[in-house]
């Protein structure tokens, strides 16, 4: 699995877009970029994943650079309930073990 | 759809007592199964993962063991708990790009 690097913490104003960066310069060609989040005292929640193309779902958008060395998770209109620790993870196959780094602690501020 | 169960939800055990946490998955077959631990204020640490019945890989040396007696059952055990075993224990499954985490067990060793 590729090692990922994320800023330890970020703030975002409520209602604004939250842009969470992730560097994964060692990612291999068949390694997906996954994003999870963990709200306090709960288990991690899957958000989105992608390989090469940008992806969007009801929760977020994922922008992956053309060289695949970095990506950005975008929460288009952050709410207070989006306050959580966000994890960016590289996963090769369906059966890979999922190893979490320290992630980014996002605080959405009223 | 797939569902993952963990029990108990909370547990308070004295030092030196045994431990057994159980995890079961419904709605899928032959999943990868994982045990994670999160100590207070810390990140998620992968403890064990299993790719099939009776197949267990340990990620870190510790006071705990895991077993997979059935395809969709994963058990975390200890013969004698230590204070450092306190934490939030999460079970997870993955298969074919899908996966989820259980609700977790909060263990306090006193």
């Amino acid at each position: 699995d590729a090692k990922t690097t994320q800023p330890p913490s970020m703030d975002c104003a409520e209602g604004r877009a939250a842009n969470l960066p992730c560097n994964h310069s060692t990612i291999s060609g068949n390694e997906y970029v996954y994003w999870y989040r963990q709200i306090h005292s709960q288990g991690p929640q899957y958000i989105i994943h992608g390989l090469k193309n940008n992806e969007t779902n009801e929760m977020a958008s994922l922008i992956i650079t053309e060289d695949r060395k970095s990506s950005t998770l975008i929460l288009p209109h952050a709410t207070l309930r989006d306050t959580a620790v966000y994890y960016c993870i590289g996963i090769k196959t369906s059966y890979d073990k999922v190893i979490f780094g320290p992630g980014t602690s996002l605080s959405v501020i009223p | 759809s797939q569902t993952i169960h963990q029990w108990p939800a909370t547990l308070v055990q004295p030092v030196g007592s045994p431990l057994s946490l159980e995890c079961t998955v419904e709605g899928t077959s032959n999943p990868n199964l994982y045990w994670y631990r999160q100590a207070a204020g810390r990140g998620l640490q992968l403890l064990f993962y299993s790719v099939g019945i009776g197949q267990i890989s340990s990620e870190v040396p510790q006071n705990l063991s895991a077993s997979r007696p059935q395809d969709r059952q994963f058990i975390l055990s200890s013969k004698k708990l230590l204070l450092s075993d306190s934490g939030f224990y999460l079970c997870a499954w993955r298969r074919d790009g899908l996966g989820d985490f259980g609700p977790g067990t909060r263990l306090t060793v006193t």
Side-chain angles (χ1 to χ4, degrees), chain B residues 38-83:
Chain B
Q38 189 169 37
R42 306 293 295 274
L44 286 155
Q45 180 185 37
L46 179 62
L47 302 176
F48 300 95
Y49 72 98
S50 171
V51 299
I53 296 173
Q55 301 179 65
I56 309 294
S57 296
S58 174
E59 286 296 295
V60 293
Q62 61 205 303
N63 183 43
L64 302 168
S65 62
S67 62
R68 185 171 179 174
Q70 299 180 45
D71 181 43
R72 290 168 289 175
Q73 183 185 28
F74 207 22
I75 298 172
L76 184 70
S77 305
S78 174
K79 292 182 180 178
K80 290 185 178 181
L81 284 169
L82 306 172
L83 285 175

Side-chain angles (χ1 to χ4, degrees), chain A residues 29-102:
Chain A
N30 60 350
E31 207 160 350
Y32 288 79
V33 178
Y34 274 74
W35 283 83
Y36 288 83
R37 73 179 181 184
Q38 187 179 22
I39 295 170
H40 183 62
S41 298
Q42 298 181 24
Q45 176 188 24
Y46 165 81
I47 301 173
I48 198 167
H49 75 282
L51 184 63
K52 295 180 182 177
N53 300 321
N54 298 336
E55 301 288 345
T56 296
N57 63 19
E58 66 278 4
M59 290 182 68
S61 295
L62 174 61
I63 308 297
I64 303 174
T65 58
E66 193 169 342
D67 62 8
R68 298 204 340 115
K69 292 186 177 182
S70 66
S71 61
T72 301
L73 178 75
I74 301 172
L75 307 177
H77 306 286
T79 71
L80 298 179
R81 287 178 292 182
D82 292 322
T83 293
V85 178
Y86 287 77
Y87 300 96
C88 167
I89 304 167
I91 303 175
K92 280 184 183 175
T93 70
S94 299
Y95 289 88
D96 255 359
K97 52 190 177 182
V98 180
I99 297 178
F100 290 83

Side-chain angles (χ1 to χ4, degrees), chain B residues 5 12 36-37 44 52 55 60 62 82 84 90-92 94 99 104:
Chain B
H5 303 279
V12 180
Y36 291 85
R37 176 173 62 198
L44 286 155
Q55 301 179 65
V60 293
Q62 61 205 303
L82 306 172
S84 57
L90 287 157
C91 181
R94 281 180 57 77

Side-chain angles (χ1 to χ4, degrees), chain A residues 20-35:
Chain A
L20 292 92
C22 178
N23 286 323
H24 33 76
S25 57
T26 61
I27 197 168
S28 58
N30 60 350
E31 207 160 350
Y32 288 79
V33 178
Y34 274 74
W35 283 83

